[in-house]
Amino acid sequence: MARQQSLFGDASAAQAKAARPGAAPTGGGSSKSRGAKAKAASKTSSTRKAAGKTSPAGKAAGKPSGAKRASRSGTTTTARSRAKGGARTKAHEMADASREISVSEFFAKNRHLLGFDSKRKALLTTVKEAVDNALDACEEAEILPDIAVTIEAVKNQPDRLRVTVSDNGPGILPEQIDLVFAKLLYGSKFHRLRQSRGQQGIGISAAGMYGQMTTGSPTVIRSRIGKRHDAHEVAVRIDTVKNQPVRARTKVFEWDRAHGTEVSIELEATFKRGRGSVDEYISQTAIANPHVQITYRAPDTKTAEVYERATKKLPKAPKEIKPHPHGVELGMLMKMMKSTGSSKLSGFLQKDFSRVSAAVAQQICKLAKLEGSARVRSLEHKSAEALYKAIPQVRIMNPPTDCLSPIGEELIQKGLQKEIGEAEFFVSRTRAPAVYRGNPFQVEVGVALGGDLPAEDTARLLRFANRVPLQYQPGACAMTKAVTGVDWKAYGLSQPGGSMPIGPVIFMVHIASAWVPFTSESKEAVASYSEITKELRLALQECGRHMQRYLRRRKRIADEMKKRSYIDKYIPAIGEALRDILELNEKQTDNVLVELRDTLERSRTI
């Protein structure tokens, strides 16, 4: 049996060899017969080769071309190109130089996009990102936030500061610490459509990366999730090439707090007071978040300053909503169609979007000339485009607004009074929710006027987005454009053409949205969507009318008090003249003066 297998194997090999063009004849039979077989095999092979190269039918049948066979045999595209074209070209060099970069590597080289373009601003951005994370965590866990911010100089290291921000929030799972603080574009807020301070999962990781780049020091995190759990201290760095965290060290330690998180970052930075400083950011955060208590210690002081909370009531917790059909773009619609859990088109429209009922879904399908029972994942690009064009033609309710958590008129006034107590008049307005690109948003405006505020200075504008102060790029922000676009002369303020008004006034403008349209990754200015600027203008005008009434009344009072001062000034002289003319005694003179004063004062109204 073994011998037969060997013979069969030899015969098969001989036949295969004979089938190759130009192969020497082997095996049994006459030489003439063998030559004819070889010639026929050669002809058949050549015909098949030509068919595989030129015939579409050959390609459809799966017969590879010569180029494909060369690729399968291990020959690279570059080698084939070089063999055909000769010498290595510039295109080969450019192709060799191309490589993929990670998001961490990109932002490491372009850190100005994230707000780290100067040492002073880098300090502010680091504090802001840490405080924003702390506030979001506390509010989501329904914990009244107590936040401590400490900035201290690093010994024997000029231009180096250490920022430490701690909170009493729910803490972070030990296995999640590395990813939260040392991986860009990692977070829980990007895919949730509801109001939150953070959105992209970049901020605190970028702050740690900046500290690592400028000082080489890792980000140190302490966290505890409950009394029955250990407190963990973790030091992490970020591998910018791979956008992955690298744990430098970790340990379990004793902590006196039941739960919370503390992050410490050492970085090259400069501390200065004044506009655009950490001091101003902390003060404005206390205005927009009257429920928070902040303990703040600057590097040039030994004692901490405490910003007491104005209310012990937490803001309304925003709820997550689904995308609105009027805000979705064609590419996103196609992506949602491929990833939906619904099998039918009608079910997809109802379950994956907000405010779409069965009747609305049927109307959309009818306009798109599609069946509601069609398999949504099987629809082609043409059908998706027809669906996309049909959606705007259908009247759909605005998205729900329970995804928003505005500050409220009363708390805006309390926050302004607490931090800007020298003003004499306060007014605030919260507009009804509106929509841009299918995203709900709400505009709020507060005004503080008069008192000890400087009367000859330009009005001050405090800008907020989702309760976060915006301190840079005011000229590019929709809020600034809205304020300068109002004619404040009509409301009693002086205003040079196309600029901020002049007078003892402070404007506070807040936009709350499920997705704030920032102009850049540094989140310093809001884009000028027409729907947003319209709501801002209307809210400012409402406050302007109240301010105008107050200013007019104040002017009337001032004029009246001036006229009444004339009574006090001239009545004694009138009394002396009456006494001399009518020969009155002193008692009679006093009685006449009292009656005269009462008559004059009753005739004056304020």
Side-chain angles (χ1 to χ4, degrees):
M1 180 66 70
R3 179 57 182 165
Q4 282 182 334
Q5 290 176 349
S6 177
L7 287 172
F8 290 150
D10 291 344
S12 299
Q15 290 172 6
K17 187 174 182 181
R20 292 196 299 271
T26 58
S30 64
S31 60
K32 185 176 180 180
S33 175
R34 290 195 301 270
K37 288 181 180 179
K39 188 175 181 180
S42 176
K43 185 176 181 181
T44 302
S45 177
S46 300
T47 303
R48 288 178 178 173
K49 185 176 181 181
K53 284 185 178 180
T54 59
S55 171
K59 291 185 179 181
K63 294 179 173 57
S65 65
K68 289 184 179 178
R69 286 199 303 272
S71 177
R72 290 180 182 178
S73 64
T75 307
T76 63
T77 305
T78 306
R80 291 197 308 273
S81 177
R82 197 179 304 165
K84 290 180 180 179
R88 181 178 173 83
T89 65
K90 191 69 177 178
H92 293 97
E93 296 177 8
M94 293 172 67
D96 292 343
S98 300
R99 69 179 182 88
E100 182 183 3
I101 63 170
S102 71
V103 63
S104 304
E105 194 172 6
F106 172 79
F107 282 120
K109 289 186 178 181
N110 298 277
R111 60 193 186 195
H112 60 281
L113 297 176
L114 300 177
F116 296 94
D117 47 342
S118 69
K119 292 183 178 180
R120 184 176 186 235
K121 195 173 172 185
L123 177 64
L124 171 64
T125 303
T126 300
V127 172
K128 179 176 99 55
E129 297 297 347
V131 171
D132 289 354
N133 281 11
L135 285 169
D136 269 343
C138 290
E139 290 174 10
E140 190 167 345
E142 298 182 348
I143 298 171
L144 208 58
D146 288 326
I147 296 176
V149 179
T150 303
I151 305 173
E152 52 191 346
V154 178
K155 191 175 181 180
N156 300 325
Q157 294 287 345
D159 289 337
R160 279 197 188 186
L161 297 172
R162 181 178 290 106
V163 174
T164 303
V165 177
S166 62
D167 63 63
N168 63 330
I172 303 172
L173 294 176
E175 58 269 21
Q176 287 283 305
I177 291 176
D178 305 56
L179 296 171
V180 170
F181 290 93
K183 184 179 177 68
L184 269 66
L185 294 180
Y186 180 88
S188 61
K189 303 168 187 174
F190 185 85
H191 298 96
R192 292 189 299 181
L193 200 57
R194 72 172 196 178
Q195 178 182 332
S196 63
R197 293 171 181 82
Q199 292 180 340
Q200 302 158 336
I202 292 178
I204 193 61
S205 299
M209 183 176 67
Y210 174 81
Q212 173 184 322
M213 290 171 58
T214 55
T215 68
S217 301
T219 302
V220 180
I221 305 100
R222 291 180 164 191
S223 186
R224 189 177 187 182
I225 61 174
K227 291 182 179 180
R228 299 183 180 180
H229 296 266
D230 292 330
H232 292 262
E233 180 180 290
V234 179
V236 293
R237 290 186 174 90
I238 183 169
D239 183 346
T240 56
V241 176
K242 299 179 181 179
N243 188 31
Q244 291 295 330
V246 178
R247 184 172 288 201
R249 66 177 185 274
T250 181
K251 69 176 182 179
V252 175
F253 72 103
E254 293 293 330
W255 213 10
D256 57 356
R257 64 183 68 178
H259 51 81
T261 303
E262 179 182 281
V263 56
S264 182
I265 300 174
E266 185 178 324
L267 69 158
E268 276 192 5
T270 301
F271 177 82
K272 290 183 180 179
R273 298 185 183 274
R275 293 289 176 89
S277 65
V278 176
D279 300 50
E280 189 179 56
Y281 165 78
I282 297 293
S283 174
Q284 292 184 20
T285 299
I287 293 174
N289 300 272
H291 60 287
V292 67
Q293 177 172 300
I294 304 176
T295 304
Y296 169 59
R297 184 165 70 84
D300 55 358
T301 59
K302 293 184 178 180
T303 58
E305 185 177 2
V306 179
Y307 294 79
E308 299 287 350
R309 56 174 57 93
T311 178
K312 293 185 177 181
K313 185 179 179 181
L314 279 166
K316 182 189 70 174
K319 297 180 180 179
E320 184 177 357
I321 64 170
K322 295 177 182 178
H324 193 269
H326 285 170
V328 71
E329 295 173 332
L330 177 58
M332 179 57 67
L333 177 64
M334 295 175 65
K335 180 181 177 183
M336 292 175 68
M337 290 169 66
K338 296 299 181 184
S339 60
T340 182
S342 302
S343 58
K344 296 181 180 180
L345 178 58
S346 179
F348 160 69
L349 292 171
Q350 294 177 62
K351 293 180 181 179
D352 289 41
F353 290 100
S354 63
R355 302 300 198 193
V356 177
S357 62
V360 170
Q362 185 179 0
Q363 191 176 356
I364 293 172
C365 293
K366 184 178 180 180
L367 287 171
K369 296 180 180 179
L370 296 171
E371 293 292 334
S373 58
R375 293 184 61 82
V376 63
R377 293 191 181 185
S378 302
L379 294 177
E380 298 178 351
H381 181 278
K382 186 177 180 180
S383 300
E385 193 164 0
L387 190 69
Y388 174 72
K389 291 179 179 178
I391 288 174
Q393 301 178 45
V394 180
R395 186 170 183 178
I396 305 173
M397 289 178 62
N398 285 339
T401 57
D402 53 2
C403 61
L404 303 178
S405 179
I407 302 171
E409 295 179 2
E410 182 181 353
L411 289 179
I412 286 177
Q413 291 192 40
K414 282 186 177 181
L416 287 171
Q417 290 169 359
K418 182 167 68 78
E419 300 302 326
I420 311 172
E422 62 267 23
E424 64 186 48
F425 173 76
F426 297 91
V427 63
S428 60
R429 282 293 175 269
T430 298
R431 293 280 300 171
V435 180
Y436 76 94
R437 286 183 57 195
N439 296 306
F441 74 97
Q442 205 162 1
V443 163
E444 300 180 285
V445 170
V447 177
L449 176 72
D452 295 332
L453 296 176
E456 304 299 326
D457 290 354
T458 301
R460 188 179 170 195
L461 173 60
L462 309 181
R463 299 175 295 130
F464 298 86
N466 286 352
R467 301 175 180 261
V468 179
L470 310 179
Q471 295 182 268
Y472 286 88
Q473 298 184 13
C477 187
M479 300 180 193
T480 305
K481 294 176 183 177
V483 173
T484 56
V486 174
D487 182 12
W488 292 105
K489 292 180 181 178
Y491 300 108
L493 297 176
S494 62
Q495 181 184 22
S499 62
M500 293 288 290
I502 295 175
V505 59
I506 294 177
F507 297 102
M508 172 186 171
V509 180
H510 175 235
I511 175 173
S513 177
W515 187 262
V516 180
F518 292 113
T519 58
S520 66
E521 293 84 354
S522 57
K523 299 182 290 186
E524 294 169 342
V526 177
S528 299
Y529 281 93
S530 58
E531 299 90 341
I532 294 176
T533 54
K534 175 186 174 182
E535 288 296 318
L536 287 168
R537 185 179 67 255
L538 292 173
L540 287 164
Q541 288 173 340
E542 283 188 54
C543 289
R545 287 190 287 271
H546 286 269
M547 183 177 65
Q548 180 189 42
R549 286 195 289 268
Y550 173 78
L551 288 173
R552 285 177 177 174
R553 186 171 183 274
R554 190 177 69 172
K555 185 179 180 182
R556 286 199 305 270
I557 292 173
D559 291 342
E560 185 59 34
M561 295 307 295
K562 183 178 179 181
K563 291 176 182 178
R564 290 194 177 198
S565 68
Y566 295 155
I567 297 174
D568 295 331
K569 182 177 181 180
Y570 293 113
I571 275 188
I574 293 173
E576 291 180 5
L578 290 173
R579 184 183 59 188
D580 294 340
I581 294 171
L582 301 175
E583 295 181 353
L584 302 175
N585 58 35
E586 187 174 347
K587 185 176 181 181
Q588 290 175 323
T589 303
D590 290 342
N591 291 336
V592 169
L593 291 178
V594 169
E595 290 182 8
L596 182 60
R597 184 185 294 275
D598 289 343
T599 302
L600 290 172
E601 287 184 351
R602 281 197 303 270
S603 66
R604 307 304 306 172
T605 58
I606 297 177

